[in-house]
Amino acid sequence: MSAGTDTAHDGALATPGAALPVPLRLLIGGAWVAGDGAPLASRNPARPDEVVAEGTQAVPADVDRAVRAARATAREWARTPIHARGAVLARAAAALEERADQLGLELAREEGKTLAEGTGEVLRAAQILRYYAGEGDRVAGEHFASPRRGERILVTRRPLGVVGIVTPFNFPIAIPAWKIAPALVYGNTVVWKPASTVPLLAMRLAEALDGAGLPAGTLNLLIGPGALGTALVRQPGLDGLSFTGSTGVGRMLAGEAASRGVPFQGEMGGKNAAIVLADADLDLAAEQVLFGAFRSSGQKCTATSRLIVADEVADEFLALLTARLDAWRLGDPTDPSVHMGPLVTPAAAEGVRAAIAAAEAEGARVAYCGPSPAASDGGDAPSAFVPPTVLEVGAGSPVGDHAAAGERPASCVPCGNTAWREELFGPVLAMRRAASTEEAFALAEDSEFGLSAALFTRGIATALEAVDALDVGILHVNSESAGADPHVPFGGAKKSGYGPKEQGAAAREFFTHTTTVYLRG
Ligand code: UN1
């Protein structure tokens, strides 16, 4: 439990639903403190006038303080029995479960996803904490025979030490939980920099862990701009960095980490395809493509952003999808009847609108564009809402520079359209038609990313063929491309990921290293 508080923050999980804006604090060395940096206001993207939380940001010098605090407690935490470390996570999970409705509301207000998704995410974070809370009961290392008499060889695990965690806005509590929980349970101490657009939910997770009895300095929370992440990776005292976010920032941090010999784990972009074949249950496929593409306004790295449909069912499938989209309500995400809220900020929405315009200028056909929601109470301020949009690309689109282009059937020609290539992180689905299963798989592979894919078919042989044909980290057969369970590996192939995968036993590969012990009596 933290001590040395220099503000009114008592380290307990505050009661959400209290008057807005909630005051923000950083957690450094066990003290909840105001930052010395610029003021920060976290606004409700559905109601630009509503400030959800406010405070002051950390400055680069705080990174140094936080890393020192994490270093000071690293040895003691590493030697704390893993079951005791897990017990802290279990208590934090219970605290989140108890307040799931209130925290879910705060999440919807701060990030813009629906109340149901927000509450579900809080419960998911608790589930992740519980999974890692049980790590002490699982296999801790390996035991090999020795070629020499009287000797055994053990492979044991050690924590890295002080790890940096940099997390994105789109899962403000679940992604931090799935990095911080394994980091802590394997005996690391943590300096965490969340996206500055979702500081309230970050503070809530840190409060739950702090209130559950983490020793001072074991988890440090720095709220502030991206420059803090760069300062973190440049800290000489840092022993590892786990990042989820944009490809550009991820590659920059990976380069910095590599130049310092610091292990790096990166979960970056996705341009995930849903492939609907002629033998699919089209109604099920339409439901799942809708969820994959438009839940959370498409702001998931696992979102379905490309749709590949077999020629013979393409029009029928589009009609089914469009009918569902017609019943899809946009609006204030805290209204339980709403299916889709705004993007995280008006600026993010502007970027997606510009990309749609670029895609159209490049020849994309608008197959569907939902109605824009009525102007919110933000007056003339730019809206954070973007309606669900389906763009058919292909025939008329500029063709990318691809060596194999000349050898492929026409429909398989790599497509250079912005909506097909770039991760837009919004409710935009780029569609192409395929003349055969082989073409459909080739189109799915026409991306530098390889995070997830969804295949809709009734054919088991086709599904098995997809396992070999698609270079992705996650393959869904007859379900949407998003989603992840805490006990199995999560991460991408190709340029979607870097370093060991996340979650389940895979997380151990990043957050620990091995010691091989040659043991003679
Ligand atoms: C999910 O699909 O439920 O940033 C999780 C992201 C991913 C997490 C996806 N790292 O969207």
Side-chain angles (χ1 to χ4, degrees):
M1 187 87 64
S2 303
T5 304
D6 76 350
T7 71
H9 201 297
D10 62 5
L13 194 67
T15 309
L20 300 182
V22 177
L24 294 169
R25 295 287 180 264
L26 320 176
L27 178 60
I28 302 176
W32 287 99
V33 296
D36 293 328
L40 175 74
S42 164
R43 289 178 185 277
N44 180 341
R47 301 171 181 278
D49 293 339
E50 184 179 279
V51 177
V52 179
E54 67 184 358
T56 46
Q57 309 186 60
V59 292
D62 293 325
V63 177
D64 185 54
R65 282 207 293 146
V67 170
R68 282 177 201 277
R71 169 68 56 212
T73 187
R75 187 178 161 85
E76 178 54 28
W77 182 244
R79 292 188 168 214
T80 301
I82 187 167
H83 287 81
R85 297 195 299 249
V88 175
L89 301 185
R91 286 195 292 274
L96 294 183
E97 281 160 354
E98 212 172 284
R99 295 161 176 84
D101 288 343
Q102 294 160 308
L103 294 180
L105 176 63
E106 289 188 339
L107 202 165
R109 277 185 181 148
E110 184 168 64
E111 195 269 352
K113 66 178 68 173
T114 64
L115 200 51
E117 287 174 299
T119 307
E121 190 188 326
V122 173
L123 292 173
R124 179 177 181 178
Q127 184 195 11
I128 292 163
L129 293 175
R130 283 199 191 285
Y131 170 81
Y132 286 105
E135 191 59 18
D137 294 343
R138 300 194 189 103
V139 176
E142 289 172 304
H143 172 200
F144 291 86
S146 169
R148 291 162 293 276
R149 255 175 223 283
E151 185 178 84
R152 303 287 175 100
I153 307 174
L154 308 181
V155 179
T156 63
R157 295 271 173 176
R158 300 173 58 81
L160 295 180
V162 178
V163 296
I165 305 274
V166 178
T167 54
F169 75 84
N170 62 332
F171 286 89
I173 193 161
I175 290 178
W178 85 43
K179 290 180 188 291
I180 292 170
L184 292 175
V185 86
Y186 293 123
N188 302 280
T189 57
V190 172
V191 178
W192 172 27
K193 194 226 124 13
S196 57
T197 36
V198 287
L200 176 56
L201 263 289
M203 191 173 83
R204 293 304 190 212
L205 179 60
E207 285 172 338
L209 286 160
D210 181 48
L214 267 188
T218 308
L219 171 67
N220 302 273
L221 169 66
L222 299 177
I223 294 168
L228 296 180
T230 315
L232 189 54
V233 74
R234 290 181 179 161
Q235 261 292 319
L238 200 74
D239 299 312
L241 184 72
S242 179
F243 167 83
T244 295
S246 73
T247 307
V249 174
R251 288 181 188 167
M252 182 275 289
L253 291 175
E256 291 275 356
S259 72
R260 289 170 173 76
V262 172
F264 178 83
Q265 175 185 54
E267 215 274 275
M268 297 183 269
K271 193 69 202 174
N272 314 297
I275 305 164
V276 181
L277 297 180
D279 70 345
D281 176 339
L282 293 186
D283 211 42
L284 169 94
E287 176 198 63
Q288 295 294 309
V289 168
L290 176 88
F291 292 163
F294 302 115
R295 273 185 173 161
S296 294
S297 305
Q299 298 174 111
K300 299 182 187 181
C301 58
T302 46
T304 303
S305 53
R306 295 185 300 146
L307 170 65
I308 298 152
V309 198
D311 255 337
E312 59 263 57
V313 294
D315 290 329
E316 185 185 350
F317 180 77
L318 254 184
L320 289 169
L321 182 62
T322 303
R324 286 179 180 273
L325 279 166
D326 282 338
W328 189 251
R329 279 200 64 209
L330 255 75
D332 187 324
T334 61
D335 172 347
S337 69
V338 159
H339 299 105
M340 195 176 107
L343 270 67
V344 65
T345 57
E350 270 307 311
V352 173
R353 282 191 281 267
I356 293 172
E360 283 189 67
E362 292 162 13
R365 176 183 76 86
V366 179
Y368 183 87
C369 179
S372 291
S376 64
D377 54 10
D380 292 337
S383 168
F385 287 92
V386 176
T389 305
V390 182
L391 300 172
E392 183 163 0
V393 300
S397 300
V399 168
D401 175 20
H402 197 290
E407 299 151 26
R408 295 188 182 192
S411 66
C412 214
V413 169
C415 172
N417 190 283
T418 297
W420 182 260
R421 285 256 153 250
E422 286 177 22
E423 185 182 39
L424 304 185
F425 235 60
V428 184
L429 187 57
M431 175 194 153
R432 292 193 76 183
R433 298 169 195 243
S436 67
T437 300
E438 194 194 351
E439 280 187 22
F441 289 172
L443 287 173
E445 281 296 291
D446 177 29
S447 173
E448 64 170 340
F449 297 115
L451 182 53
S452 70
L455 171 67
F456 296 90
T457 178
R458 286 192 173 94
I460 185 76
T462 312
L464 286 173
E465 174 56 24
V467 175
D468 290 334
L470 303 180
D471 192 8
V472 288
I474 300 151
L475 176 61
H476 291 263
V477 179
N478 295 315
S479 59
E480 60 155 307
S481 63
D485 281 324
H487 62 300
V488 288
F490 178 87
K494 300 200 255 182
K495 290 179 180 160
S496 287
Y498 191 100
K501 301 234 166 126
E502 306 189 275
Q503 305 223 64
R508 196 171 69 161
E509 295 306 317
F510 180 70
F511 288 108
T512 65
H513 62 88
T514 57
T515 301
T516 305
V517 183
Y518 292 86
L519 183 67
R520 292 188 201 175

